[in-house]
Amino acid sequence: MEYFFTEQQQMVRGLARKIAEEQIVPVRAELDETEEFPWAIVKLLAEVDMFRVFIPEEYEGLGGGNVGLCLVIEELSRACCGVALTYAAVALGTLPILLYGNEEQKRKYLPEIASGARLTAFGLTESDAGSDAGSIQTTATRSGDSYVINGAKRFITNGGEAEIYTIIALTDKTRGPRGSSAFIVEKDTPGFTFGRKEKKMGIRCSATRELFFDDCKVPKANLLGKEGQGFIVTMKTLDSSRPGVASLSIGLAQGALEAAVDYARQRHQFGRPISANQAIQHMLANMAMELEAARALVYATARTIDSGARDFTEEGAMAKVFATDMAMKVTTDVVQIFGGVGYMRDYPAEKMMRDAKINQIYEGTNQVLRNEIALELLKRKAKRKG
Ligand SMILES: Cc1cc2nc3c(=O)[nH]c(=O)nc-3n(C[C@H](O)[C@H](O)[C@H](O)COP(=O)(O)OP(=O)(O)OC[C@H]3O[C@@H](n4cnc5c(N)ncnc54)[C@H](O)[C@@H]3O)c2cc1C
């Protein structure tokens, strides 16, 4: 399918593909086994300016927007979803600064994120506030020219490895979600510590940790937007980052489909390749159709975001749900095509299936996002959009 990418987009995609094939594929099984954070690859991505892609040019980025970001994530995830998530989570952690940072905050943080010198993370989830993000309990209490943060966040991607955190905390407990605010917290701030790296089913090289805030004092200058805007910062951040989660799934499904086609051609049973069976051919055909439909939806959503559209909650949610459900199905079917060896760690299929699951869970579970899509539909009183 021709998606008419610009020269820059093709260049960025080509470079990400080269790194994925030459540097990530050879180490992905080892990273999965050891659960080691992929620092060597992160440094390489920084050297070839991959972290500049989603940062505007005026802050030392390449101005590649959401489309550029999605293309890089897709290519990295075709090789390893865990590595790709590490990159995608930097964009997630940066979005609150991009969307709500003032000029001083942007000048201070965006160039060093663009250079890859400092990774970022986004901290919203707490033990009693997952899908119900409005139930967060972490507080940020004003004290002179500072805010004092107390509480804990859990399941934070890049936690412990990142140096810049965008955190949502309550500045007014009486107002519920409307009393939340967003803050930048730097890693070395006294009172800010981390839990152990979580042991996960998939994306095992990605770091997931708890964040603890114990009288953690941050300057007032680190407030993003205004007090009380934490909920809107969260919603707008997730609207823009969900195409990235969809791209994690597209890359993953693409890699899995390619592996299945190769295997189906070379594996012989009953004196002929298993690809000669229509049952296998139809599985491959279904995978290819669903994958391309998801890809078209994701690129269209990313382009809508880059066009400057104000409201794309529905599009972002649809892209995320459709692509992540697709990848779960594709990777499960790929294991089936590999048969017994598909279940073994010596082959890439089982890792892809394990990696696919998380994309249906984070950044809004697919059930919760279906609720959101339905809500948007019903709000429109059955009027056609567009
Ligand atoms: C590996 C990993 C990385 C993560 N990274 C980050 C990160 O970087 N930053 C961050 O802030 N968070 C992160 N998260 C948290 C993630 O976004 C949450 O886990 C997710 O939103 C779900 O919340 P929960 O786990 O508390 O599940 P729950 O909210 O307890 O949901 C449990 C089940 O109930 C269903 N459910 C809940 N409410 C409804 C409803 N109203 N309608 C229908 N079904 C419902 C859910 O769909 C789910 O199936 C990460 C999580 C994981 C596992």
Side-chain angles (χ1 to χ4, degrees):
M1 192 88 73
E2 174 58 62
Y3 290 105
F4 304 100
F5 290 121
T6 63
E7 230 170 83
Q8 191 205 45
Q9 288 164 345
Q10 291 179 43
M11 191 269 290
V12 161
R13 183 178 60 174
L15 189 54
R17 185 173 297 177
K18 190 169 151 58
I19 290 173
E21 287 173 354
E22 293 176 5
Q23 309 288 336
I24 303 178
V25 169
V27 298
R28 65 183 173 192
E30 192 189 333
L31 287 173
D32 180 56
E33 198 62 38
T34 59
E35 308 189 5
E36 193 186 310
F37 189 78
W39 270 118
I41 295 165
V42 167
K43 288 196 174 121
L44 191 65
L45 292 173
E47 272 167 31
V48 298
D49 290 336
M50 282 293 142
F51 291 102
R52 295 191 194 279
V53 170
F54 54 90
I55 305 283
E57 285 174 62
E58 57 267 44
Y59 304 106
E60 299 179 24
L62 289 171
N66 213 281
V67 172
L69 173 66
C70 285
L71 290 176
V72 175
I73 294 173
E74 179 182 339
E75 291 303 330
L76 300 181
S77 193
R78 179 170 158 249
C80 176
C81 188
V83 171
L85 173 63
T86 301
Y87 175 85
V90 173
L92 173 67
T94 307
L95 273 164
I97 304 175
L98 280 172
L99 297 173
Y100 288 89
N102 57 34
E103 198 49 33
E104 198 183 322
Q105 291 165 336
K106 287 181 179 175
R107 294 251 164 253
K108 179 169 178 192
Y109 291 105
L110 295 181
E112 52 189 20
I113 296 169
S115 73
R118 301 176 90 192
L119 301 186
T120 64
F122 177 66
L124 169 68
T125 304
E126 299 180 4
S127 53
D128 290 326
S131 300
D132 182 10
S135 294
I136 59 164
Q137 295 297 317
T138 297
T139 53
T141 311
R142 184 75 187 267
S143 163
D145 272 349
S146 306
Y147 285 92
V148 180
I149 305 180
N150 279 291
K153 298 285 173 186
R154 79 165 171 180
F155 299 157
I156 305 307
T157 304
N158 288 350
E161 311 292 340
E163 298 201 29
I164 301 164
Y165 294 78
T166 43
I167 299 296
I168 309 298
L170 294 175
T171 38
D172 183 351
K173 278 181 105 167
T174 62
R175 297 187 65 219
R178 307 275 159 210
S180 68
S181 305
F183 295 91
I184 300 169
V185 185
E186 298 198 32
K187 187 180 186 179
D188 53 7
T189 312
F192 182 20
T193 54
F194 304 94
R196 71 171 175 97
K197 188 174 172 183
E198 301 287 352
K199 295 203 157 290
K200 304 190 293 293
M201 171 197 283
I203 53 157
R204 289 160 50 133
C205 69
S206 160
T208 315
R209 285 195 174 88
E210 264 184 288
L211 316 181
F212 301 112
F213 301 94
D214 185 10
D215 284 337
C216 171
K217 204 171 180 183
V218 297
K220 182 173 155 262
N222 287 21
L223 174 70
L224 282 163
K226 297 188 185 121
E227 262 194 33
Q229 275 192 330
F231 188 66
I232 190 82
V233 172
T234 300
M235 293 303 129
K236 294 289 177 195
T237 291
L238 294 174
D239 284 351
S240 290
S241 73
R242 284 185 186 128
V245 179
S247 298
L248 287 168
S249 301
I250 287 171
L252 193 49
Q254 178 67 43
L257 176 59
E258 288 169 20
V261 168
D262 286 350
Y263 187 78
R265 279 205 189 112
Q266 56 97 2
R267 171 70 177 168
H268 282 66
Q269 286 293 278
F270 301 102
R272 58 184 193 154
I274 59 167
S275 62
N277 298 297
Q278 198 182 51
I280 300 283
Q281 291 171 6
H282 283 190
M283 281 170 93
L284 294 173
N286 285 336
M287 289 180 203
M289 284 189 289
E290 285 163 27
L291 170 57
E292 209 53 48
R295 183 178 273 130
L297 179 59
V298 174
Y299 292 165
T301 304
R303 281 183 169 143
T304 302
I305 296 172
D306 288 344
S307 75
R310 284 171 63 86
D311 181 12
F312 39 83
T313 299
E314 190 182 0
E315 290 86 342
M318 288 197 297
K320 194 269 191 187
V321 172
F322 191 78
T324 59
D325 283 355
M326 174 280 297
M328 194 66 243
K329 180 163 189 326
V330 165
T331 53
T332 306
D333 286 350
V334 167
V335 170
Q336 191 70 22
I337 288 178
F338 271 76
V341 298
Y343 206 70
M344 303 299 155
R345 289 208 186 170
D346 301 333
Y347 289 77
E350 59 86 35
K351 172 184 180 306
M352 289 164 167
M353 183 177 155
R354 285 188 280 113
D355 286 355
K357 187 63 209 171
I358 187 58
N359 293 327
Q360 296 178 302
I361 296 173
Y362 52 30
E363 295 205 25
T365 68
N366 285 7
Q367 292 99 314
V368 167
L369 291 184
R370 280 186 168 88
N371 295 348
E372 263 190 44
I373 295 164
L375 202 68
E376 292 283 325
L377 271 174
L378 297 167
K379 258 193 332 207
R380 282 205 304 272
K381 295 187 191 137
K383 245 199 221 153
R384 187 164 172 196
K385 199 180 182 189

